[in-house]
Amino acid sequence: MSVTKNDTAVLKNFINGEWVISASGQTLDVPNPATNELLIKVPVSSKEDVNLAVAAAKESFRTWKNVPVPKRARVFYKYHHLLTENHEELARLIVQENGKAYKEAYGEVQRGIECVEFACGAPTLMMGETLSGIAEDIDSEMFRYPLGVVGGITPFNFPMMVPLWMFPLAIACGNTFVLKPSERTPILANRLAELFAEAGAPKGVLNVVHGAHDVVNGLIEHKDVAAISFVGSQPVAKYVYERAAREGKRVQALSGAKNHHIVMPDADIEKAVQHVMSATFGSAGQRCMACSAVVVVGDNEAFVAALKREADKLNIGSGMDEEVLLTPVIRKEHRDKALGYIEKGLEEGAELIRDGRKEMSDLPKGNFLGPTIFDHVTPEMTIAKDEIFAPVLSLLRAQNLDEGLDFIRRSRYGNGATIYTNNAKAIRKFREEAEAGMLGINVGVPATMAFFPFSGWKDSFYGDLHVNGKDGLNFYTRKKMITSRFDA
């Protein structure tokens, strides 16, 4: 589904296997973040559109839940083939609407495909459990069943991977799905739906409704939606969790982050700098596993100097340039918000050792901000506490590992944390005491594979069961216990 720079068409919703014009008549522009040229318009759908999609999903659930699990899995084997076959096209669509570098976009497509691979294991995943002889002549069995209609609300920063965290596993488990992609990156969602239909998915099993608040609230409030899976900013995640839970729905809401990387005195400086650079400035800092705070332990001025040198050499530009790492943020207003944080950091006394604002005039058409590094940041400063979601890095100074772990402990977020060291004692202490759900040992972005849960803590997650892995399986299924007596 190619979209040229002169294409001013309006995207359609995908409901019951058909491309449907939104009932609202309202639209938003979808520009290319690198040029701000219009790509397409996206509908701001209404609750009426949501109702149509949920009705289609509910009707489809009546038959889909009874399709044998191996037959469901075959749809995903075909889907896996189609996604792999269209890998490059999908990556280019991500670059076009999200702005990230092609290499990163290509990697995102691969991570999404891995989620489909996990869903292909549905026959094994859906297996229950049995125990013979729980009492005299009595056996017990557990079977898994789908929930019904599931709603998914996804962010702009991973327009392929995050939707594929959700609907493949949900649908493989026998549910049907209504996806609300980000209105900032809606194009790829339609292509995913198109390929899923080509893979043989029945009508109504997957539906896509574009929009904003009305679609979110429509899914939350709809009595026929059994569960909501959400990924986005902390305030919205909390809102979705609280509102949907009050409606009696299952909810998993992945939220914001402030991920700390601790650089110990014995760290390999060259490798630590490479990892920090990639984790901080890749995807323009717009990911919930981005490195946004580095704790420099001890007198390690060599690391700080090396980090600044590499930041000065960083290639900035369009995502299709193979040499580029740092690409634009999603929208001008998003950059303006980041600029406000830079000013706040200066006001609160942080030392700006690398000012990314100077690159803005070199690339005036897009939403660019160069690599920005603050030193001597303290935990009380706003830039040390808030998720900025931009290429802005804070350096905090610590005398020892205990102090660094305390910085992590004081953060309201708990998505990820990393330590750079070869000291076994430090590694074990970090593993046991760092208050975050995903830890890295000499790894820049410790994001998990699809067969493990994406395990954020504290205000980085609202709910009980995370996405992916066994948590995802348990989220999308409910259990039925059968106890049988055989002495009659």
Side-chain angles (χ1 to χ4, degrees):
M1 189 180 70
S2 63
V3 182
T4 68
K5 66 180 180 180
N6 296 317
D7 192 341
T8 56
V10 179
L11 285 175
K12 295 179 180 179
N13 294 327
F14 187 69
I15 298 175
N16 202 31
E18 305 291 337
W19 296 107
V20 180
I21 297 172
S22 169
S24 73
Q26 300 178 16
T27 63
L28 293 171
D29 290 349
V30 180
N32 182 324
T35 64
N36 280 312
E37 294 177 324
L38 182 64
L39 295 173
I40 205 163
K41 293 179 180 289
V42 61
V44 183
S45 298
S46 65
K47 291 184 180 180
E48 180 182 343
D49 297 303
V50 175
N51 293 341
L52 288 173
V54 173
K58 182 181 179 182
E59 180 61 28
S60 181
F61 178 68
R62 292 162 58 89
T63 52
W64 181 246
K65 67 180 180 180
N66 295 321
V67 171
V69 181
K71 191 173 181 180
R72 287 186 219 148
R74 290 183 198 116
V75 173
F76 287 97
Y77 279 113
K78 177 64 174 175
Y79 194 41
H80 179 277
H81 170 74
L82 291 171
L83 293 175
T84 303
E85 193 173 60
N86 291 277
H87 198 138
E88 290 188 10
E89 178 209 347
L90 295 166
R92 289 176 181 275
L93 284 176
I94 293 171
V95 174
Q96 190 176 49
E97 65 175 349
N98 171 275
K100 70 177 60 176
Y102 178 78
K103 183 178 180 180
E104 291 195 321
Y106 194 90
E108 179 186 343
V109 175
Q110 180 58 37
R111 296 303 293 267
I113 290 172
E114 288 163 5
C115 294
V116 177
E117 289 175 356
F118 184 63
C120 288
T124 300
L125 296 172
M126 288 292 288
M127 285 181 179
E129 298 173 352
T130 64
L131 179 61
S132 173
I134 63 167
E136 189 173 347
D137 296 320
I138 298 178
D139 298 343
S140 193
E141 302 166 285
M142 183 274 283
F143 293 95
R144 292 184 181 275
Y145 293 88
L147 306 175
V149 179
V150 176
I153 302 163
T154 59
F156 72 84
N157 57 333
F158 286 93
M160 175 153 179
M161 184 182 73
V162 174
L164 294 181
W165 276 358
M166 298 179 186
F167 76 78
L169 183 56
I171 292 172
C173 289
N175 302 285
T176 54
F177 207 91
V178 180
L179 173 66
K180 202 290 292 184
S182 171
E183 62 273 25
R184 295 175 177 180
T185 53
I187 300 169
L188 192 75
N190 278 19
R191 185 63 175 133
L192 292 177
E194 191 173 52
L195 290 172
F196 194 51
E198 188 179 337
K203 292 182 177 181
V205 168
L206 173 64
N207 306 273
V208 179
V209 181
H210 297 286
H213 307 295
D214 283 350
V215 180
V216 172
N217 289 327
L219 289 171
I220 289 172
E221 296 166 3
H222 203 295
K223 63 181 178 60
D224 291 328
V225 175
I228 297 285
S229 185
F230 172 89
V231 178
S233 67
Q234 184 274 329
V236 183
K238 185 177 182 183
Y239 169 83
V240 169
Y241 175 73
E242 291 177 345
R243 282 286 313 277
R246 281 202 301 269
E247 296 291 333
K249 304 184 192 308
R250 265 187 206 188
V251 194
Q252 51 181 198
L254 285 73
S255 177
K258 196 71 178 178
N259 305 307
H260 293 72
H261 287 211
I262 298 178
V263 181
M264 296 297 290
D266 72 313
D268 182 315
I269 290 177
E270 182 179 347
K271 289 181 179 178
V273 167
Q274 290 174 355
H275 286 307
V276 169
M277 288 289 295
S278 178
T280 302
F281 302 120
S283 295
Q286 299 174 125
R287 54 187 174 193
C288 64
M289 291 299 288
C291 169
S292 52
V294 170
V295 180
V296 183
V297 177
D299 184 15
N300 199 343
E301 298 306 320
F303 168 80
V304 177
L307 184 66
K308 185 180 182 302
R309 280 197 305 271
E310 289 302 308
D312 286 338
K313 294 189 294 184
L314 198 65
N315 289 316
I316 307 168
S318 166
M320 290 309 298
D321 185 337
E322 291 185 4
E323 300 301 317
V324 161
L325 173 66
L326 183 53
T327 49
V329 296
I330 190 69
R331 293 287 184 270
K332 181 181 181 297
E333 55 268 28
H334 188 91
R335 183 179 65 181
D336 290 344
K337 184 178 179 181
L339 294 174
Y341 275 110
I342 294 172
E343 290 297 331
K344 190 71 172 176
L346 291 169
E347 289 172 11
E348 294 183 352
E351 180 185 349
L352 186 60
I353 63 171
R354 211 290 168 186
D355 190 347
R357 295 173 295 184
K358 64 185 182 181
E359 277 87 12
M360 290 167 52
S361 59
D362 297 332
L363 297 159
K365 291 184 178 180
N367 311 316
F368 292 94
L369 176 63
T372 300
I373 305 174
F374 281 99
D375 198 1
H376 300 289
V377 176
T378 62
E380 297 78 18
M381 292 181 181
T382 303
I383 57 173
K385 295 187 293 186
D386 288 4
E387 181 181 43
I388 302 176
F389 228 56
V392 179
L393 177 64
S394 295
L395 303 183
L396 297 90
R397 300 302 186 111
Q399 294 301 310
N400 49 50
L401 178 56
D402 283 325
E403 189 178 357
L405 289 168
D406 186 59
F407 291 161
I408 297 174
R409 196 174 296 116
R410 292 165 66 176
S411 175
R412 64 184 294 200
Y413 297 112
N415 230 27
T418 281
I419 189 169
Y420 301 100
T421 183
N422 290 308
N423 184 297
K425 184 177 179 180
I427 289 170
R428 190 179 192 282
K429 184 177 182 66
F430 174 79
R431 185 192 73 196
E432 295 300 309
E433 297 186 21
E435 291 189 358
M438 290 168 283
L439 303 182
I441 312 297
N442 299 315
V443 172
V445 181
T448 59
M449 300 288 283
F451 36 83
F452 284 111
F454 195 88
S455 185
W457 286 15
K458 299 192 279 190
D459 277 355
S460 290
F461 178 74
Y462 298 93
D464 298 304
L465 295 167
H466 294 82
V467 297
N468 292 338
K470 292 181 180 178
D471 270 26
L473 171 68
N474 287 325
F475 181 79
Y476 291 124
T477 59
R478 51 187 172 180
K479 302 176 183 71
K480 187 177 288 187
M481 298 301 305
I482 297 93
T483 304
S484 306
R485 181 184 291 275
F486 295 96
D487 61 353

